Amino acid sequence: MDYLKAFIVGGLICVVGQILIDKTKLTPARILVTFVVLGTFLQLIGIYEWLVDFAGAGATVPLTGFGYNLCKGVSKAVSENGFIGVFTGGITAAAGGISAALIFGFLVSIIFKSKSKK
């Protein structure tokens, strides 16, 4: 049942993204930023935590989950370190994902040869 919940919630988030791509003139970059900000805002008002408890990876893997992770990290760092946590919490919470993106991007750039578009 957990897999089904994750599939449905993650799929619905992706459907919203696809609708935004197809029906609006928003660029993919603006949609990405919108999803991250939306995840942060929903965590800030306490809704996204419920969604994560319900759907697990279906809510944490999409881009909205990155915003949720940043907001959760900042909240934790502020409670532990005070005001300085505003600057350190998000990066600390997302360090694993950011590091993985950098490492895998580097490895792919070594393995494959880039080509210019013609």
Side-chain angles (χ1 to χ4, degrees), residues 46-85:
I47 294 173
Y48 211 83
E49 187 73 37
W50 174 84
L51 192 61
V52 168
D53 291 341
F54 175 76
T60 58
V61 171
L63 286 170
T64 50
F66 184 69
Y68 153 78
N69 193 25
L70 290 174
C71 188
K72 190 173 176 183
V74 168
S75 296
K76 181 180 176 188
V78 167
S79 67
E80 292 175 359
N81 303 326
F83 183 72
I84 195 74

Side-chain angles (χ1 to χ4, degrees), residues 3-18 55 57-59 62:
Y3 294 122
L4 183 62
K5 290 182 207 175
F7 178 77
I8 289 171
V9 171
L12 287 174
I13 293 171
C14 292
V15 164
V16 170
Q18 190 64 49

Side-chain angles (χ1 to χ4, degrees), residues 9-55:
V9 171
L12 287 174
I13 293 171
C14 292
V15 164
V16 170
Q18 190 64 49
I19 290 170
L20 288 172
I21 289 171
D22 292 343
K23 301 293 182 186
T24 68
K25 293 184 180 188
L26 291 172
T27 63
R30 289 185 182 193
I31 294 170
L32 179 145
V33 170
T34 301
F35 275 11
V36 173
V37 170
L38 183 63
T40 303
F41 178 73
L42 291 175
Q43 172 60 19
L44 189 63
I45 62 175
I47 294 173
Y48 211 83
E49 187 73 37
W50 174 84
L51 192 61
V52 168
D53 291 341
F54 175 76

